Each structure stands twice: as C-alpha cells, then as structure tokens.
Amino acid sequence: FVEQMPSFPGGEEALMKYLSSHIRYPAVARENGIQGTVVVQFIVGPDGSISHVTTVGTKKGGGLEDEAIRVVKGMPKWKPGRQNGRAVTVQYSLPVRFVLQ
C-alpha cells in the first residue's frame, strides 16, 4: 500500500462524470441485454500516465471489456500516488458499471 493513492484530476466526482460522458454502450451488449461491472486494472506512473490497461475477473462479453479499456486508455493524466513524499508507480483497479436504461 502507498501512503497516498493516485487520483483522477478533480477527484472521484470528476472521474464518474468522465466515465459517464465518454462511455458508449456497445451495440452488441445492448442488443443482447448484457450488463454488469467490468473491473479495469491499470498502472498509474510517477508522471500520472496510464499504462498496462487490462480487465480482470469474469468476462461479460458484448464488447463491454473493450469499451471500458478504450475509455480508461483515453483518460487524462492522473495525480500520481505518493510514498515518502515521492511520486511512485501504483497499480489501480477501477470498477466500470454498465447498466441498460
């Protein structure tokens, strides 16, 4: 564990706003009624960059994993995690919920 976890610029609320405005529900998932939570795991570097984006856990299918990865890869740089006052590399897991309206 690091003393200070990395954070999205603007905080948790800004992250939720970013996700909801950038995610496009995949047509295949919508047509087949596929919904659920995709857990995206990635590395936040000391400079705040996002890398090694992948999904973990049970696959939902219908393009949900691909869409979650696409949106995370497009994120702006994060505020890096800190340990002993230094910016460090941190692995981060982000649950992305897909709910049909």
Side-chain angles (χ1 to χ4, degrees), residues 63-75:
L64 297 186
E65 285 80 13
D66 294 335
E67 179 62 7
I69 287 171
R70 182 191 69 79
V71 170
V72 169
K73 282 184 173 177
M75 283 182 174

Side-chain angles (χ1 to χ4, degrees), residues 33-89:
I34 301 169
Q35 54 185 359
T37 302
V38 174
V39 179
V40 183
Q41 211 169 58
F42 54 93
I43 303 287
V44 179
D47 63 348
S49 62
I50 305 287
S51 64
H52 298 85
V53 182
T54 183
T55 58
V56 294
T58 309
K59 299 276 182 244
K60 305 286 178 270
L64 297 186
E65 285 80 13
D66 294 335
E67 179 62 7
I69 287 171
R70 182 191 69 79
V71 170
V72 169
K73 282 184 173 177
M75 283 182 174
K77 285 191 173 189
W78 282 43
K79 200 170 144 195
R82 300 188 85 72
Q83 185 73 30
N84 299 324
R86 291 186 19 242
V88 294
T89 300

Side-chain angles (χ1 to χ4, degrees), residues 1-8 44-46 78-92:
F1 288 103
V2 292
E3 292 168 358
Q4 189 180 352
M5 285 297 283
S7 59
F8 188 81
V44 179
W78 282 43
K79 200 170 144 195
R82 300 188 85 72
Q83 185 73 30
N84 299 324
R86 291 186 19 242
V88 294
T89 300
V90 179
Q91 182 171 306
Y92 197 91

Side-chain angles (χ1 to χ4, degrees), residues 15-47:
L15 174 58
M16 293 305 130
K17 205 174 273 185
Y18 173 87
L19 291 174
S20 65
S21 67
H22 286 77
I23 286 177
R24 293 193 295 269
Y25 214 105
V28 175
R30 178 174 285 125
E31 289 160 10
N32 293 295
I34 301 169
Q35 54 185 359
T37 302
V38 174
V39 179
V40 183
Q41 211 169 58
F42 54 93
I43 303 287
V44 179
D47 63 348

